[in-house]
Amino acid sequence: MYEMIKISSIFIRQYLLPNPFGNSPESYFYNLIAGFILYPITYCIVGLFYRPRSNPLLGSFLYLVFYSIHTGMIILASTYNFSRIAIVFILGIYIGALTGVKYIQIEIFGGWY
């Protein structure tokens, strides 16, 4: 089951998620750089909610979910031409949401899942 989620996650990230930088000739280059930056960031965020190697199926699914959220945040920031105010606002809401979800996880599961 893990292999199936892992392969479908790779497929979704590579082929179904849109390029957040549009269709300009430079967008492929920007997407490539963003991908290199998003991988470790997403891995660290997943690590806030998941203990490594405890449930690979859940970890792979969470990675896909958070990678999709991060791509959506880039798309949202691009609609505001990456203005500093928009980026700070989006990050503030995101950090607040992560904090709230982590608090709920601690209350329900006692920390890690």
Side-chain angles (χ1 to χ4, degrees):
M1 187 69 167
Y2 165 71
E3 290 297 324
M4 196 167 83
I5 293 291
K6 179 179 149 186
I7 291 171
S8 62
S9 174
I10 292 169
F11 178 79
I12 290 169
R13 285 184 280 131
Q14 292 298 319
Y15 298 111
L16 298 180
L17 288 179
N19 183 343
F21 299 102
N23 294 325
S24 68
E26 300 88 22
S27 67
Y28 176 76
F29 178 70
Y30 292 142
N31 194 30
L32 186 64
I33 291 173
F36 284 119
I37 295 169
L38 278 182
Y39 288 125
I41 291 172
T42 303
Y43 185 80
C44 289
I45 298 294
V46 169
L48 293 174
F49 300 99
Y50 163 76
R51 184 178 306 134
R53 295 178 195 89
S54 64
N55 185 349
L57 183 65
L58 177 64
S60 183
F61 179 73
L62 285 176
Y63 188 85
L64 174 62
V65 168
F66 280 110
Y67 191 88
S68 300
I69 290 170
H70 294 159
T71 301
M73 288 172 33
I74 293 172
I75 292 170
L76 187 60
S78 72
T79 60
Y80 295 103
N81 295 322
F82 296 101
S83 73
R84 289 183 184 158
I85 294 171
I87 291 172
V88 168
F89 186 73
I90 292 166
L91 285 176
I93 290 174
Y94 182 61
I95 291 170
L98 287 177
T99 303
V101 171
K102 184 62 180 180
Y103 176 76
I104 292 169
Q105 180 189 26
I106 289 170
E107 290 297 316
I108 293 175
F109 298 111
W112 299 99
Y113 181 72

